[in-house]
Amino acid sequence: MGRLQHFILLLLLPAALSLDFRENSASRYGRSTHTTALSARSLLKPAADSQHGVRKRSADQAGDTCNALHGYDPKLANNTHNHNFDDLSGSVSLAWIGDGTGVLLALTTFQLPIFMLRFGQSRLYRSEDYGKSFKDVTDLINNTFISTDFGIAIGPENSGKVILTGDLSGGTGYRIFLSKDFGKSFSHSDLPFNPQMQIMYNPQNSNVLVAISSKYDLWISEDFGETWKNIHKTVCIVKWGTGSTLFISTNLNGTCYDRGVLTLRRTMDNGRTFKTIAEKIYSFGIGGRFLFASVTIGTGTMRMIHVSVNQGDEWNMAQLPPVGHEQFYSILAANDDMVFMHVDEPGDTGFGTIYVSDDRGMVYSKSLERHLYTATGGDNDFTNVTSLRGVFMTSVLAEDGSVQTVVSFDQGGEWVPLKKPENSKCDSTAKDKDACSLHIHASYSISMKLNVPMLPLSEPNAVGLIIAHGSVGDAISVLTPDVYVSDDGGYSWLRALQGPHHYAILDSGGLLVAVEHNPTMPISQVKFSTDEGQCWHVYNFTNEPLYFTGLASEPGARSMNVSIWGYRETLLTQYWVSVTIDFRELLTRDCGDGDYVQWLAHSDDISDPNDGCNLGYKEHFLRLKKDSVCWNGRDYIVNKQPTPCPCTLDDFLCDFGYYRKENSSECVEQAELKGHDLEICIHGKKEHLQTNGYRKIPGDKCEQGKEPERKVIDVRSKCVSNLLEPQLQRQDETKHSKSAPIIVTVIAILLISCIAGVLFVKKYICGGRFLVHRYSVLQHNAEANGLEGGDEPLDTEVAAHAKIGFHDDSDEDLLE
């Protein structure tokens, strides 16, 4: 992550004086003020466990956790803080500054477009106590209108830096407001350009800023915005790499619309010098330590991926299928060990295939077919479950057109349906009412306007915990979803709350908070759980219900404060309201050693001596007991004890040219490659691969046991692509011109003697048409990938904003 920032744009109000909200005045304030406890376990009678060997954490505690908490109402009432904003603005944006500082900025904005001009007003508020109280500090920005297009730019780590981009009256230009002290004070500087994007910090040096102008010029500041310098013309995309490395895509012809002829350049000295590292670029992306370039080939109707692990000094061709003009690549997730890459299918199918890479980002294995991805820049449900190593969830588009959720517990090695929660029944989508599975609502459901207010939520310090909306049946349902919780990383689930809710994880998973999602009715209740969602308590936080728009808590899941944002309305007006509840007094004691229990992750068969082995090792965690009502604390550190496992075939992926048959761990050779040499291109040299079909999963830490042999032998043959850095290619050819006749003679002899083999293997060798089939279980070939047509126009978003993680759906890490 490396970036302690959180930016929230709460729902827009239609207008300051709007009367379009529906309400029932007779029942608006008619909510009961008593407190209750709801048990998720009592919603439905649990079904018998079909896998007697599986030990679930939900069964660890014999006591009734619903009775573990008493007398909480007065404590919460004394720690509930209301703040009314004398503000009619239509939207509010929140930004947390730093980690554990309690500093929160709230920017309200009212904007009114008239003809081709827009008029607006902004108010800035600051809190130093996690949102319990706010001070109006609008005077610090000289009452300037702050553009919502660029939001609040928070500096990396705990730098305390803040940038607000203001739109000067009359459209005369832009002014930035700069803070180095967590928003206590601001200085201002007029920009010598009109920004096209939010200003980007250098992740390693927050004084260095870059931005692209509306004229596609790249500007840089090395003194935190006081002075700016134009360092490059016609910049289409800009991204920070490692250290101070900056990558840009540009076109020497002066336009960003001819995407297939872009040039990829790099600067390592803040723009003083640039080096061209690739040409014929369509787009590029960065994932972990990998730099990817989507390169046009042939007549420009097809594209292929190239990858570099040394910031563009050397390139290798990724063993992925090429795509046509109507297709795209997308980095779904990446770290320093491997990459999940989506490759779109030809035609407007709405799905593609997920491939997982080796540790060089070069060799790929097919991981999941029919992966739901609606379109270029569209929606998919790929979710990295950060609370447990190796777990990912996503959706597939079934043959019958239904959308179904699948999960992988081994970093993409195998995908299976989610188990049906024991306290839920199959809905109307299920053909067999006794056999169905849980399906998770994510980005696709939200894009389809289903009643899903939040994406699935997990946190690295809340081990094994996942909260998500879902439905139980044969596929995702359009019926109103419920909230489900898993406490073991997705192996088992519990229906926790009925109907859609907003939710948050506090105190490293020791406390869950939820608010019912009902846009048409005001609310006055908040629900909370101290046992990972098994039992929920209800607290009435106000006698004056409000229209709820968002739930805000400090990122990192360590805080004990949560803010309920919304608005109240009178006969003539509306105004913003923030209600912050501090749960610290609810948990009256700090957690001790006796409050934790040892838990083995990825455990599914306690009778197996290798139970819990995942990616080569077991992990034992100390986790809070469900009936322990105590405070983990801000300094809580996840306690885990790794134990290596002996290697088995499950620790290996099938090498390219091999695949696994259904329900088998054995990798068998693809029929069309039997008896033929496998060659790969590494750092510009053709190398011969000797393999019996297996390669270790990236990041797998298994030891000894079964370890299939795999060798790569350099055959001393050049295979440099002529699509990357052609000017360097020409320099190399000039330098070695004296040896050219010898090389030509040798190649001619080899071609004559091996003509039959070449005719068959030509599509598998380096250079020329590139490697197109270097992955497992490919069921179609390059000729079926749509050879006709041209590339799409440049996306409207031209610059890469500072983002956390991947799953980017634009031309940055959506490698089209």
Side-chain angles (χ1 to χ4, degrees), residues 29 44 61 166 195 247 264-265 284 367 372 397 435-436 471 479 545 586 622 643 673 687 737:
Y29 301 106
L44 290 171
Q61 307 302 327
F247 297 99
L264 182 59
R265 308 196 75 194
F284 76 97
S367 175
L372 177 72
L397 186 63
C436 62
S471 55
L479 301 175
L586 180 73
L622 285 181
T643 304
L673 292 181
E687 300 189 352
S737 59

Side-chain angles (χ1 to χ4, degrees), residues 765-790:
I765 50 179
C766 296
R769 286 189 56 198
F770 299 112
L771 298 162
V772 296
H773 289 177
R774 301 301 179 130
Y775 42 86
S776 300
V777 210
L778 183 67
Q779 296 182 353
H780 58 272
N781 54 36
E783 288 75 16
N785 272 358
L787 296 175
E788 69 286 340

Side-chain angles (χ1 to χ4, degrees), residues 649 652-655 658-661 664-669 692-694:
L649 291 183
F652 296 84
L653 295 170
C654 293
D655 223 332
Y658 289 76
Y659 71 100
R660 277 190 171 104
K661 293 182 178 180
S664 173
S665 296
E666 183 183 0
C667 295
V668 296
E669 191 173 6
N692 54 10
Y694 300 89

Side-chain angles (χ1 to χ4, degrees), residues 118 144-145 166-177 190-191:
R118 58 180 185 175
T144 305
F145 173 65
D167 192 348
L168 298 180
S169 60
T172 56
Y174 285 84
R175 173 176 295 172
I176 55 174
F177 294 88
D190 290 344
L191 293 177

Side-chain angles (χ1 to χ4, degrees), residues 309-371:
V309 293
N310 53 16
Q311 303 196 97
D313 287 334
E314 295 176 304
W315 292 90
N316 294 308
M317 289 166 279
Q319 320 306 309
L320 287 166
V323 298
H325 69 281
E326 81 284 10
Q327 298 168 264
F328 59 91
Y329 299 101
S330 179
I331 302 172
L332 298 172
N335 55 33
D336 287 344
D337 292 325
M338 53 86 68
V339 177
F340 281 89
M341 185 77 76
H342 172 97
V343 181
D344 189 43
E345 287 290 305
D348 188 17
T349 62
F351 64 85
T353 301
I354 295 178
Y355 295 87
V356 292
S357 76
D358 65 357
D359 56 1
R360 295 171 301 184
M362 286 177 49
V363 179
Y364 286 77
S365 296
K366 180 177 289 188
S367 175
L368 180 66
E369 294 181 307
R370 300 191 67 87
H371 177 238

Side-chain angles (χ1 to χ4, degrees), residues 100-140:
T101 63
V103 178
L104 175 65
L105 290 183
L107 177 69
T108 64
T109 304
F110 176 77
Q111 190 168 310
L112 182 64
I114 299 179
F115 298 106
M116 298 189 68
L117 300 176
R118 58 180 185 175
F119 299 89
Q121 156 185 307
S122 297
R123 301 279 290 274
L124 183 64
Y125 303 88
R126 185 175 183 272
S127 171
E128 294 183 342
D129 52 12
Y130 295 93
K132 297 173 184 176
S133 62
F134 283 88
K135 179 182 179 182
D136 189 336
V137 293
T138 309
D139 59 312
L140 296 180

Side-chain angles (χ1 to χ4, degrees), residues 444-699:
Y444 177 72
S445 296
I446 293 175
S447 71
M448 297 302 291
K449 309 300 181 184
L450 299 184
N451 194 10
V452 180
M454 285 193 67
L455 295 171
L457 179 63
S458 61
E459 295 284 354
N461 54 318
V463 176
L465 196 59
I466 314 170
I467 313 176
H469 290 89
S471 55
V472 180
D474 288 346
I476 287 179
S477 171
V478 297
L479 301 175
T480 300
D482 296 323
V483 175
Y484 294 84
V485 173
S486 174
D487 62 7
D488 55 10
Y491 285 93
S492 63
W493 294 80
L494 175 83
R495 189 176 77 158
L497 294 168
Q498 187 171 0
H501 285 70
H502 292 252
Y503 38 73
I505 299 175
L506 306 181
D507 192 34
S508 300
L511 181 67
L512 308 183
V513 177
V515 175
E516 185 177 357
H517 176 66
N518 190 347
T520 62
M521 293 293 295
I523 60 104
S524 61
Q525 294 182 333
V526 63
K527 304 171 186 178
F528 63 94
S529 171
T530 60
D531 58 6
E532 297 178 331
Q534 289 192 122
C535 178
W536 292 84
H537 307 274
V538 178
Y539 167 59
N540 286 273
F541 61 84
T542 182
N543 292 322
E544 298 180 65
L546 54 86
Y547 286 95
F548 173 71
T549 59
L551 193 65
S553 62
E554 185 186 32
R558 297 185 182 277
S559 175
M560 292 295 291
N561 296 273
V562 66
S563 295
I564 300 164
W565 281 79
Y567 63 94
R568 296 190 178 105
E569 60 181 10
T570 63
L571 183 62
L572 296 177
T573 188
Q574 300 167 344
Y575 58 93
W576 284 103
V577 178
S578 171
V579 180
T580 300
I581 304 171
D582 187 346
F583 286 90
R584 178 64 186 92
E585 295 302 318
L586 180 73
L587 309 180
T588 55
R589 64 181 182 86
D590 296 349
C591 296
D593 293 342
D595 291 302
Y596 297 93
V597 63
Q598 193 173 83
W599 177 71
L600 175 61
H602 295 288
S603 173
D604 59 4
D605 186 357
I606 57 178
S607 64
D608 184 354
N610 290 325
D611 181 41
C613 286
N614 184 271
L615 299 177
Y617 61 101
K618 300 181 181 182
E619 282 183 306
H620 287 87
F621 292 88
L622 285 181
R623 294 184 61 180
L624 191 65
K625 294 179 180 179
K626 290 186 181 296
D627 60 354
S628 287
V629 182
C630 58
W631 182 45
N632 278 316
R634 179 170 287 277
D635 297 330
Y636 169 77
I637 299 175
V638 174
N639 187 310
K640 59 182 178 181
Q641 300 172 342
T643 304
C645 297
C647 295
T648 68
L649 291 183
D650 291 333
D651 294 297
F652 296 84
L653 295 170
C654 293
D655 223 332
F656 68 82
Y658 289 76
Y659 71 100
R660 277 190 171 104
K661 293 182 178 180
E662 190 173 355
N663 299 322
S664 173
S665 296
E666 183 183 0
C667 295
V668 296
E669 191 173 6
Q670 290 177 220
E672 66 270 24
L673 292 181
K674 284 186 176 180
H676 295 276
D677 290 340
L678 298 178
E679 294 167 348
I680 56 178
C681 190
I682 303 176
H683 303 323
K685 294 180 179 180
K686 190 195 307 181
E687 300 189 352
H688 180 70
L689 174 64
Q690 290 184 347
T691 177
N692 54 10
Y694 300 89
R695 61 182 176 87
K696 187 175 285 189
I697 298 172

Side-chain angles (χ1 to χ4, degrees), residues 212-213 215-219 230-236 248-252 254-256 265 274:
I212 296 177
S213 74
K215 296 181 179 179
Y216 298 98
D217 295 333
L218 180 63
W219 292 76
N230 187 338
I231 59 173
H232 206 288
K233 302 290 186 182
T234 319
V235 173
C236 308
I248 65 169
S249 63
T250 182
N251 191 341
L252 301 181
T255 176
C256 287
R265 308 196 75 194
F274 280 88

